[in-house]
Amino acid sequence: MNRDPITGIAERLCAHAWIDDARCGRDGAVIVLSQQGIDALCRLGRQPLLDGLHTYLADAGHHAASWRWRLLESLPAALCPDALLQAPLPRDALLLHEQQHEGAWNLALRVPLDLVYFPGHFPRAPVLPGVVQVAWALAFAAQRLDTPARCHIMEALKFQQLLRPGDRVDLALRYDAIRHTLHFAYRHGEKAYSSGRLAWSATA
């Protein structure tokens, strides 16, 4: 009986130190990166990581240079590799949980490994752009605090630490209705990533 080549590719991928699990479709692979793989992604960037996997597969006689790839931290419960491979890369943070206290919100987020912004910012050292951090804060606040989805003024912006693929971060949101100002801060434990105030005019 001839062995399914797709099965062989998946098994080969699962043997790589960067990968904890893999599922293959017709023309691509969905892979769960190990911590070592996430470190390599942060250090090298997406395309160099994939180039390394292409070489690794080619050494075993598998040619996947034209394949599509999705990089995940865990496999979804209902997984259709081909559908996931055809889907666009994510643009939003993964919301893990949230809580409200006295009108303020705290959201536990994870930065997706395959975020659409990483290949362009920067290809070989992916970091979450500051403009995306601001956009996420505005979007999450609009859903919970009924604030506008766009602001007129950005004040006291501080970007202190880089947010990288797979990072876990807490987003704090507080709206000052008198001053029409949204306060946001990205932190995790004692580490402060970024913060600022996003303001609207009184007539916004």
Side-chain angles (χ1 to χ4, degrees), residues 60-84:
H62 303 299
H63 300 287
S66 62
W67 270 28
R68 297 173 181 264
W69 297 83
R70 290 303 299 266
L71 314 180
L72 304 178
E73 287 188 316
S74 62
L75 294 178
L79 173 65
C80 176
D82 287 317
L84 187 54

Side-chain angles (χ1 to χ4, degrees), residues 32 34 65:
V32 175
S34 65

Side-chain angles (χ1 to χ4, degrees), residues 81-101:
D82 287 317
L84 187 54
L85 289 165
Q86 294 295 326
L89 295 179
R91 293 180 174 273
D92 301 318
L94 175 63
L95 177 62
L96 303 178
H97 60 83
E98 59 187 299
Q99 61 182 12
Q100 181 186 22
H101 180 66

Side-chain angles (χ1 to χ4, degrees), residues 8 20 51 64 89 92 103 105 117 119 127 138 145 148 150 156 162 192 200:
D20 278 343
D51 290 343
L89 295 179
D92 301 318
W105 287 84
Y117 307 107
V127 299
L138 284 167
L145 296 166
R150 296 184 179 182
L162 298 178
W200 300 268

Side-chain angles (χ1 to χ4, degrees), residues 10 21 23 34 70-71 81 112 114 132 145 183 189 191 196 204:
D21 203 350
R23 298 288 189 276
S34 65
R70 290 303 299 266
L71 314 180
D114 237 3
V132 176
L145 296 166
H183 298 253
K191 183 180 289 188

Side-chain angles (χ1 to χ4, degrees), residues 17-158:
W18 289 349
I19 297 175
D20 278 343
D21 203 350
R23 298 288 189 276
C24 294
R26 291 188 300 272
D27 61 352
V30 178
I31 58 177
V32 175
L33 292 184
S34 65
Q35 186 56 56
Q36 188 172 342
I38 294 172
D39 292 343
L41 174 64
C42 292
R43 186 177 69 254
L44 303 173
R46 189 180 196 274
Q47 192 56 53
L49 179 138
L50 296 181
D51 290 343
L53 294 178
H54 293 157
T55 300
Y56 172 74
L57 290 174
D59 289 344
H62 303 299
H63 300 287
S66 62
W67 270 28
R68 297 173 181 264
W69 297 83
R70 290 303 299 266
L71 314 180
L72 304 178
E73 287 188 316
S74 62
L75 294 178
L79 173 65
C80 176
D82 287 317
L84 187 54
L85 289 165
Q86 294 295 326
L89 295 179
R91 293 180 174 273
D92 301 318
L94 175 63
L95 177 62
L96 303 178
H97 60 83
E98 59 187 299
Q99 61 182 12
Q100 181 186 22
H101 180 66
E102 296 182 350
W105 287 84
N106 191 74
L107 289 69
L109 308 174
R110 190 176 296 282
V111 180
L113 298 177
D114 237 3
L115 196 69
V116 69
Y117 307 107
F118 285 144
H121 193 97
F122 297 93
R124 296 184 178 273
V127 299
L128 184 65
V131 66
V132 176
Q133 297 177 45
V134 171
W136 283 357
L138 284 167
F140 281 121
Q143 296 164 7
R144 290 156 183 82
L145 296 166
D146 198 28
T147 51
R150 296 184 179 182
C151 65
H152 296 157
I153 303 167
M154 293 185 288
E155 303 173 329
L157 290 182
K158 295 180 181 179

